[in-house]
Amino acid sequence: MLTILFDGIAYGMLLFVLACGLAVTLGLMNFVNLAHGSFAMAGGYVALVVVNDMGWPFSLGLVAAFVSAAALGALLERTLYVHVYNKSHLDQVLFTIGLVFMSVAAVDYVMGSQQQFIRIPAALQGQFDVFGIGMSKYRLLIIAICGVITIALQLALLSTRFGSQLRASVDDQRVARGLGVNVGVVFAVTFALGSGLAGLGGALGAEILGLDPIFPLKYMIYFLIVVTVGGSSSITAPFFASILLGIGDVAGKYYVPKLGAFVIYTIMIIVLIIRPQGLFAHGRAR
Amino acid sequence: MSSVSRPLSAEIASRLITRARWSPLEIAFWIAAFATIYLFPEHHLILTEIVIWGLFALSIDLILGYAGIISLGQAAFFGFGAYVAGLLAKHGIMTEPVLALIASGLAAAVLGFLTSFLVLRGSDLTRLMVTLGVALVLRELANRFPQITGGADGLQGVTIDPVLGQFRFDLYGYTAYVYSLIVLFVLFVIARRIVRSPFGLSLVAIKGNPLRSAAVGIAVNWRLVAIYTIAAAYAGIAGALLTQTTAFASLEGFAFDRSADGLLVLIIGGTGYLYGGLIGALIFRFAHDYLASITPQYWQFWIGLILVIIVLVGRERIGSWLDPVRTLADRIGAWRASRRPRALGATPEGGGQP
Amino acid sequence: MTLVLETRALEKRFGGIVAANQVSLRLEKGARHALIGPNGAGKTTVINLLTGVLRPSSGEILLDGKEITNVEPHDRVRLGMARTFQINQLFADLTPIETLGLAISERLGTGTHWWRTVGSRAGVVDEIAELLERFRLVDVMQERTAILPYGKQRLLEIALAFACRPRVLLLDEPAAGVPDAERQEILATIASLPTDVTVLLIEHDMDIVFSFADRISVLVNGEMLVEGTVDEVSHDPRVRAVYLGEAFDG
């Protein structure tokens, strides 16, 4: 029982790191980016290659995942995404579905379609037994890393200059420009950071979520749930939504395996009907 | 009130009639479509597929092109119709294909009606999520009850009786194609009637300005429920057609890819004039074949690239390759409109159309 | 005379801000009533409450003595209440013919008919023609609304409300931004409304108010300051204080 809770929290925190970039682009910038999972997949595969094939240590693999996904994010943002920010939601949907299809086929071509795993150092395998609760060392690491990232993000958003620039840009681009904020750069950096975190999450999560070319499609709905169910008023809302989703999914699959993901989808639909702005939104109208 | 000039009324009437009348181009389109039965007998299987894609895209056009509802889950109704048709045939509940097709459409309509209330509230994003979610839930259900649906293996052992008890489905797909094409035509005529009616006009109005629509007395939500239900029936019939012509139904019917591809098909052909889905299906199918012949497993990459390019270039501009055709159609329409009243001697100035 | 439209202690709060405070209005049948007040006084809030776009925080709205406080906006139109918008709210993709045909179909209850073509009912076409002529829209009747010049759009805005054949008409600054030539046309058309139609006019331009209204309500900071005849209101010292330096000086 407590093990499920523990696994659920680890899973939820992982989802948060994967989805927090989307929480900003979709939740705050109101850009429907269905291709967010592609960046996570990119990070995952980079880590896979450098760790398994090139023999880098696991920690460096994670760094490589973050850097490469962030670089890819920055590149695509500057060359492609900027042209789509101001288009209709339908255009954004079509554009990002296109990117998903391309990434799925491209990874399939380069890496093959089978599921692959990143080699994890022996020190991280096995589990601790604390008061009879089996806690996997690896999941503990996930919780630690994701916890640090969450706190850092919250601090960065609230108390750094860049954080306030981002909040201003999201609130009203014109006003922000008037205040001397370079909105384009702010968005690009944010996008790159979000993609980088997704990449990191993809690498960290390869062990739990698996890594195969249809990753972006398989988890798209989960990322979207985190953002829409959580609501987009702050970074804490998607965080709580992630944890709830993580626990709910793990518990659902454990107790009612027959229904599988059915429970999660149904809960999502119900939440969206009752609270279209999200569970934790503070009535901020969009 | 009595000061209205009779010629003006006559001209307005003729404009409104022209709006609803079949243009020569449309008639030519359908003659060509039916001619393919005899012109390409060896391609009936592919043509049937195109018809089904066209019907599916038409259902998306009804909600997106006319009512402005973005959906990523139209496959929910396609898959549902496909399974209903398959189960009806497999268990011998309703063996005559036309009746079973209608039943499948009605079943999908009921599902559409029930889920329509989910898309009334909220933004584009909420609608995306909810439509996507409904399709996922159905797929998950179908997957988890293999004793009914056959699960991941699909619904096996479906046999389809002859259409109307007369026309047996043959190996070459002749019956299947003629049957599908007639179904498409009938449903197209109905859709065309709908979008040119006051009801159809009110949908375009709602899409453009829901606030004002309510202010002229339109019950906005009920109109959206109605068109969503109708579109669900269309998608369900498309799914049922697939089952009946292939004697097989599978989880693929619910897949996200189907919803996304349906959207792509519609976008290629253009939204909001009904032919977009049909023309898009034709192009999509040939593009698919061509791309698959270059890189068999990875044709999805090129489909994705097409989507990205369409958006970056601009859908309006992509759709504009049809503009010369539309302008021609308008000209012909205007010319005919100007002739009609003149022949009646009602409007001397009837020809003043740009 | 019979009361057609009445509000009782209508209130609307947005968070801590009170946009309408204890607003009570009484319009008799055939009234020509003007609602005036400085910018931000809450005039448009009142219209939005009357038409159901907004729901009041408290208070009641009555139409013909029946409470309609919680009636949906489109149902209020069916009950005979129509409005125009201060900022044009039109159907960009429809032509004036289609726009007016739509409103007339809805009024006749044929808006849900999916098997007919628009305008196939007798009388609809004549009514479209009559409105197009009255509002000088004949020359643009087949253009998409989105590409019409502003003046024409404004005329269509008013024509659309007329197409609903309301018994109560709410006009939100109908002449705002209209070129002089068409302005006179709009005012003349409004003035020529049948006398049994009740009109509530929201307006900034005092010339229009004085020439049109027989009673005036003055709204300030969401509260009803004064209500009375044109004469009473224009001589009221409080109103003069609010409008100091504006039209009342003259």
Side-chain angles (χ1 to χ4, degrees), chain C residues 189-212:
Chain C
T189 313
I190 293 170
S192 72
L193 274 167
T195 48
D196 58 343
V197 174
T198 310
V199 182
L200 179 67
L201 172 78
I202 291 190
E203 191 47 80
H204 257 321
D205 187 323
M206 289 306 150
D207 291 340
I208 297 179
V209 172
F210 289 146
S211 67
F212 174 77

Side-chain angles (χ1 to χ4, degrees), chain A:
Chain A
M1 164 64 194
L2 283 171
T3 308
I4 291 170
L5 193 65
F6 171 76
D7 283 358
I9 291 173
Y11 184 35
M13 290 194 117
L14 188 62
L15 279 178
F16 174 70
V17 169
L18 278 165
C20 65
L22 188 66
V24 175
T25 45
L26 192 148
L28 298 179
M29 285 151 68
N30 202 15
F31 178 85
V32 183
N33 184 13
L34 301 182
H36 188 71
S38 298
F39 296 99
M41 177 172 68
Y45 274 101
V46 167
L48 178 87
V49 169
V50 299
V51 173
N52 288 13
D53 299 346
M54 298 164 67
W56 290 24
F58 185 69
S59 53
L60 271 185
L62 294 183
V63 174
F66 175 84
V67 172
S68 55
L72 184 65
L75 179 72
L76 288 182
E77 202 272 349
R78 285 289 86 185
T79 52
L80 299 178
Y81 276 86
V82 274
H83 304 294
V84 193
Y85 279 148
N86 292 324
K87 298 207 173 198
S88 69
H89 279 149
L90 176 62
D91 279 320
Q92 296 173 355
V93 165
L94 294 169
F95 171 77
T96 53
I97 287 179
L99 287 183
V100 170
F101 281 0
M102 287 172 76
S103 68
V104 167
V107 168
D108 193 348
Y109 178 72
V110 178
M111 303 297 299
S113 60
Q114 74 283 12
Q115 195 165 47
Q116 300 186 53
F117 293 94
I118 301 174
R119 217 175 293 136
I120 293 172
L124 289 174
Q125 291 168 5
Q127 54 181 24
F128 295 117
D129 251 353
V130 184
F131 307 117
I133 312 164
M135 294 204 266
S136 132
K137 288 181 191 171
Y138 189 73
R139 286 189 163 76
L140 218 50
L141 175 80
I142 288 181
I143 293 183
I145 294 181
C146 296
V148 169
I149 290 173
T150 307
I151 294 166
L153 274 182
Q154 178 72 3
L155 288 177
L157 201 58
L158 290 181
S159 47
T160 63
R161 195 176 141 71
F162 183 80
S164 52
Q165 286 187 343
L166 174 61
R167 279 180 289 138
S169 307
V170 163
D171 259 0
D172 194 325
Q173 289 192 28
R174 249 175 302 169
V175 172
R177 277 204 191 89
L179 293 169
V181 177
N182 190 335
V183 175
V185 170
V186 168
F187 281 176
V189 171
T190 308
F191 195 93
L193 200 65
S195 307
L197 287 173
L200 176 67
L204 262 182
E207 179 70 14
I208 296 172
L209 308 174
L211 195 57
D212 56 21
I214 58 163
F215 182 92
L217 282 172
K218 219 166 32 174
Y219 290 98
M220 178 173 79
I221 186 79
Y222 280 74
F223 304 150
L224 290 171
I225 289 174
V226 166
V227 179
T228 48
V229 169
S232 53
S233 48
S234 67
I235 206 86
T236 44
F239 177 75
F240 285 122
S242 305
I243 301 291
L244 278 182
L245 178 62
I247 297 172
D249 202 35
V250 171
K253 279 179 179 152
Y254 184 81
Y255 289 114
V256 275
K258 196 152 181 22
L259 290 175
F262 178 80
V263 182
I264 295 300
Y265 301 149
T266 311
I267 292 173
M268 170 197 87
I269 293 173
I270 293 169
V271 166
L272 287 180
I273 296 162
I274 301 170
R275 303 210 48 177
Q277 296 293 324
L279 264 188
F280 308 104
H282 311 295
R284 179 177 151 173
R286 270 241 162 233

Side-chain angles (χ1 to χ4, degrees), chain B residues 64-144:
Chain B
L64 179 65
Y66 287 91
I69 300 172
I70 305 184
S71 166
L72 270 183
Q74 198 68 0
F77 309 116
F78 186 92
F80 192 67
Y83 273 105
V84 171
L87 292 169
L88 287 177
K90 187 180 177 185
H91 300 296
I93 302 161
M94 198 181 270
T95 52
E96 199 288 307
V98 176
L99 283 179
L101 192 75
I102 294 169
S104 310
L106 288 177
V110 170
L111 183 69
F113 177 77
L114 294 176
T115 54
S116 67
F117 296 94
L118 309 179
V119 301
L120 290 181
R121 290 187 61 182
S123 57
D124 283 348
L125 179 63
T126 321
R127 284 174 170 175
L128 279 182
M129 296 288 297
V130 170
T131 51
L132 186 62
V134 169
L136 285 168
V137 164
L138 286 174
R139 188 193 144 91
E140 200 66 25
L141 279 178
N143 191 25
R144 298 288 159 172

